[in-house]
Amino acid sequence: MRFSKMLLPTYKEDPAEAEAISHKLMIRAGLVRQLAAGLYIYLPLGLRVLKKVNAIIREEMNAIGGQEIIMPVLHPAEIWQQSGRWYDIGDEMFRLQDRTKRDMVLGMTHEEVVAWLASREIRSYRDLPQIWYQIQTKLRDEARPKGGVLRTREFLMKDSYSLDLDPEGLNLSYNLHYDAYCKIFHRCGVKYYAVESDPGMMGGAGAHEFMALSPAGEDEVSLCGNCGYAANVELANSQPPLVSSPAWNFEEVATPESRTIEEVCAYLKIDPRLTIKSLLLMAKDGPIMALVRGDQKLHEKKFRRLVGEFRPAHQEEVKEHAGVEAGFLGPVGLAPGRNLPLIADVSLKQGIFVAGANREGYHIRGVVPGEHFAAKFADIHVAMSGDACPSCNSPLKVEKAIEIGNIFKLGTKYSLPLKALYLDRQGQEKPIVMGSYGIGPARIIAAAIEQSFDQDGIIFPLSLTPFDVHLLPVNLKQENVQQEAEKFYQKLSEADISALFDDRAEAPGVKFKDADLIGIPLRLTISAKTLKEHMVEIKIRQTGEVHLVKLDQALSWVQNWINFHTKK
RNA sequence: CGGGGCGUAGCGCAGCCUGGUAGCGCACCUGCCUUGGGCGCAGGGGGUCGGAGGUUCAAAUCCUCUCGCCCCGACCA
């Protein structure tokens, strides 16, 4: 492709609206342009990268027996009403009516359509198992699109669905996907972790997320460098490091005007880890007190799994149920008749603490959980870096990550309501057991860039690069430079090596800067300087290495380099 | 949806506080020049200041409403 003819607008400066590295670079290098919040145009260069990703996905999906189909973006509301998600999902679903006032949905995912199709076309156990997939547009009315292509309202997704006879079959399909996903992300040159995840609204028996580490990520994963434990912090268990407590006696201490943990610690000159944070929460069965150590945070999702929906109590409710103002709340010495259920974090199992005294202006020192109050113990804190790994006790690291893929065991959540049934060997009607599996190609691109760039621009992995070679003649007005560049461009094309040929009349500096910004793995510079010696210069973007290669050997040099670095 | 920020030329920004009829850099066009790291010189085109309403002799500037975009949080099959 000739640069002079290509829609490839590059920017010298960072766009004002971009924060994430990948977002800045994708705009500057001319991969994408934003139409509106969460809506992106892929320019020719960006589309080339996207197609590379999709080709890898297709190869690996086909390799596990996946069959590609395309389902509509526009769905009749009925199937979503049958699955119940018409009612469960709120504003995130785009809804509209057709001209006859029939309710319609813009698909945010395709479980319903797959179950509908299976209900018609799968009849016998002989028809199973099946894996169907598509690479297709999804629409979600996101509350807050962000991070460039990382979270958008319209995006491409590879979604696949497995249909099996029984849970054992599902396990096999699930594992096939797990392995295929590992291959896909590896081939795309992305560093990732497969972590256990919360099945959430998808329901079902198990789930993993594939997480690419990046500061631009919206998720956090808890990682153990020792045993390989990896989990989304939404589920991650951990043991916060213990602190040895002073041999306090059980006594009330005055803490005037000290309400927050910070204030109390400053006043008493103690470590926050020696305090108990008491939170009054309103659950559906009434008020509950949650206790976490002063340095810890309550994990709302973990807590919700224990007690169902809840919300923090209002000021007046604290007063009503605990008989004291927020700030002096504690598990010990609640007034008679005010027996609140207590749920305490596991980090409070051992130790002697300071807690609110349920009396204005006072705290109690020397509180021993289990002795001075009875509570149900559970892991309800947010895992933090430095906590001990739940399986090997080594220190954990918590890092930000981009969710590039996920896999779910659905079970019969969709097949039952949509009547996706089959007849087994005994002629019995059984529900198909389903799994659902997603990959965000745009997120792979963003993650690859987040993990591979420098101050000059993108450093594309060979597997995703829009072109293999950046052919850069320094001065086309010099006849030999022009001739050799054209000749070499021709040779590359005959050898089926894709090249971006910078045939512009720009100054050398401009061309070099653009080459670095776009980040194609190999740059071939053709100039009078090296042509005198019948040489061309080959620069490797990744390492910065520069090789001078004989003109007539340059093509095979490039071919060898590409073959050697291609991931299988 | 709560909190914060920003909308002025294609891009990045100044001007706004203290109203007086819009400016800088890059990009773009023409000519000359230059060709190993975002060349040089000369000439030129382009905005009515997100939108609406108001105050005023006069509004990019002050006031009200509104729309859009970004960030933090909530939310996130």
Side-chain angles (χ1 to χ4, degrees):
Chain A
M1 188 86 210
R2 285 171 194 269
F3 202 137
S4 66
K5 302 275 189 281
M6 191 172 175
L7 175 61
L8 178 41
T10 57
Y11 286 161
K12 238 187 238 192
E13 288 169 292
D14 284 337
E17 76 272 10
E19 195 78 14
I21 298 284
S22 55
H23 188 192
K24 289 178 181 170
L25 289 175
M26 286 177 80
I27 289 175
R28 284 189 55 204
L31 269 59
V32 295
R33 287 294 181 265
Q34 187 188 53
L35 208 213
L39 299 174
Y40 281 83
I41 297 163
Y42 280 78
L43 300 179
L45 199 70
L47 184 58
R48 292 183 75 100
V49 180
L50 192 61
K51 283 182 170 173
K52 286 272 190 99
V53 172
N54 291 344
I56 291 171
I57 292 174
R58 284 197 171 92
E59 279 181 34
E60 298 299 340
M61 288 309 301
N62 294 342
I64 61 168
Q67 303 168 76
E68 187 168 2
I69 60 176
I70 295 187
M71 292 176 270
V73 177
L74 187 63
H75 305 174
E78 290 87 73
I79 56 174
W80 288 79
Q81 287 160 351
Q82 282 165 30
S83 75
R85 288 206 281 184
W86 172 262
Y87 312 101
D88 297 338
I89 297 172
D91 293 336
E92 207 185 340
M93 182 152 60
F94 280 108
R95 298 162 207 252
L96 69 158
Q97 292 184 329
D98 69 10
R99 63 170 75 201
T100 68
K101 299 282 182 268
R102 184 185 188 195
D103 283 323
M104 308 292 285
V105 164
L106 296 180
M108 44 201 305
T109 175
H110 283 76
E111 282 78 13
E112 280 80 359
V113 179
V114 166
W116 179 93
L117 181 62
S119 75
R120 311 228 136 191
E121 309 306 336
I122 303 295
R123 297 183 185 84
S124 155
Y125 70 94
R126 293 181 215 272
D127 300 331
L128 295 172
Q130 295 277 330
I131 294 173
W132 301 338
Y133 78 95
Q134 63 174 350
I135 298 178
Q136 200 247 24
T137 300
K138 300 283 180 281
L139 289 135
R140 296 180 189 177
D141 197 357
E142 290 286 350
R144 185 150 97 81
K146 59 181 189 179
V149 301
L150 284 174
R151 178 166 292 272
T152 54
R153 293 189 291 178
E154 176 177 323
F155 59 99
L156 210 56
M157 182 193 258
K158 187 291 297 179
D159 44 326
S160 52
Y161 304 87
S162 62
L163 309 174
D164 280 285
L165 296 171
D166 50 31
E168 291 70 43
L170 171 58
N171 281 340
L172 290 176
S173 297
Y174 189 87
N175 292 338
L176 283 175
H177 275 89
Y178 187 104
D179 293 341
Y181 276 34
C182 291
K183 286 183 185 151
I184 289 165
F185 300 132
H186 174 71
R187 286 180 62 186
C188 289
V190 174
K191 290 187 282 292
Y192 68 95
Y193 290 88
V195 305
E196 285 175 50
S197 73
D198 181 357
M201 275 200 54
M202 295 295 290
H208 283 84
E209 287 166 337
F210 292 81
M211 295 291 200
L213 295 188
S214 154
E218 299 180 87
D219 288 273
E220 287 187 318
V221 291
S222 173
L223 303 168
C224 176
N226 184 47
C227 72
Y229 173 82
N232 194 313
V233 288
E234 288 175 6
L235 306 165
N237 292 115
S238 73
Q239 178 61 55
L242 294 173
V243 185
S244 57
S245 317
W248 283 327
N249 291 321
F250 184 84
E251 61 181 347
E252 218 169 49
V253 287
T255 50
E257 298 303 320
S258 304
R259 292 160 187 280
T260 64
I261 294 289
E262 209 174 35
E263 288 164 354
V264 172
C265 289
Y267 186 83
L268 296 176
K269 298 189 172 52
I270 57 170
D271 190 310
R273 289 177 292 186
L274 296 173
T275 65
I276 297 175
K277 199 188 282 181
S278 310
L279 304 162
L280 188 68
L281 304 167
M282 306 303 289
K284 50 187 190 304
D285 303 328
I288 296 187
M289 193 184 283
L291 306 170
V292 294
R293 218 169 61 182
D295 61 315
Q296 303 282 324
K297 275 195 296 204
L298 175 70
H299 194 130
E300 296 189 6
K301 281 198 174 160
K302 285 180 181 174
F303 201 71
R304 195 166 289 136
R305 275 193 285 272
L306 290 174
V307 306
E309 279 306 318
F310 72 92
R311 60 169 174 80
H314 302 135
Q315 285 288 348
E316 318 81 65
E317 289 169 332
V318 173
K319 192 107 200 192
E320 180 191 340
H321 296 291
V324 68
E325 275 191 40
F328 302 102
L329 200 58
V332 187
L334 281 163
R338 286 184 160 133
N339 272 331
L340 292 167
L342 302 178
I343 298 181
D345 184 62
V346 290
S347 58
L348 296 173
K349 266 187 180 164
Q350 285 177 52
I352 307 174
F353 300 92
V354 169
N358 294 313
R359 182 147 88 90
E360 179 83 31
Y362 288 88
H363 279 73
I364 297 176
R365 189 157 61 193
V367 173
V368 180
E371 188 178 319
H372 297 120
F373 66 88
K376 179 181 163 193
F377 285 95
D379 183 334
I380 56 170
H381 65 272
V382 180
M384 293 193 295
S385 285
D387 287 0
C389 171
S391 59
C392 79
N393 268 326
S394 302
L396 290 170
K397 270 193 318 191
V398 172
E399 300 213 37
K400 293 220 163 197
I402 298 167
E403 182 185 349
I404 50 179
N406 53 33
I407 54 181
F408 290 96
K409 291 182 186 175
L410 294 176
T412 57
K413 178 171 174 178
Y414 300 92
S415 47
L416 280 174
L418 283 142
K419 301 196 170 50
L421 311 169
Y422 69 93
L423 289 182
D424 70 8
R425 251 183 204 60
Q426 284 75 41
Q428 292 255 315
E429 210 166 52
K430 292 264 180 66
I432 294 171
V433 180
M434 288 176 58
S436 126
Y437 316 87
I439 289 181
R443 287 185 172 183
I444 292 182
I445 298 172
I449 293 170
E450 289 282 336
Q451 293 182 353
S452 178
F453 69 95
D454 62 17
Q455 74 275 10
D456 294 317
I458 301 171
I459 302 173
F460 270 114
L462 187 56
S463 54
L464 302 190
T465 184
F467 295 96
D468 296 323
V469 171
H470 194 122
L471 184 60
L472 196 155
V474 166
N475 181 2
L476 284 166
K477 283 192 182 156
Q478 284 167 315
E479 216 172 293
N480 58 337
V481 171
Q482 145 99 30
Q483 276 174 8
E484 292 302 335
E486 287 287 350
K487 242 199 275 180
F488 204 82
Y489 181 49
Q490 189 64 34
K491 281 205 285 187
L492 286 167
S493 137
E494 282 160 12
D496 213 19
I497 294 170
S498 62
L500 178 61
F501 180 23
D502 194 347
D503 61 338
R504 298 175 299 171
E506 293 289 348
V510 174
K511 294 187 176 188
F512 289 137
K513 287 288 182 189
D514 274 340
D516 290 342
L517 177 61
I518 293 168
I520 293 167
L522 292 177
R523 187 187 81 193
L524 258 80
T525 309
I526 296 186
S527 71
K529 193 172 93 181
T530 57
L531 236 35
K532 275 194 305 211
E533 328 285 331
H534 303 286
M535 299 279 214
V536 293
E537 176 194 288
I538 303 179
K539 185 172 182 182
I540 297 164
R541 177 70 180 88
Q542 167 92 266
T543 60
E545 287 168 69
V546 174
H547 299 268
L548 277 174
V549 179
K550 284 240 164 60
L551 197 49
D552 54 7
Q553 289 168 11
L555 182 66
S556 56
W557 194 101
V558 168
Q559 283 172 317
N560 289 338
W561 191 90
I562 290 173
N563 289 338
F564 185 77
H565 289 90
T566 299
K567 279 185 183 165
K568 275 281 141 59

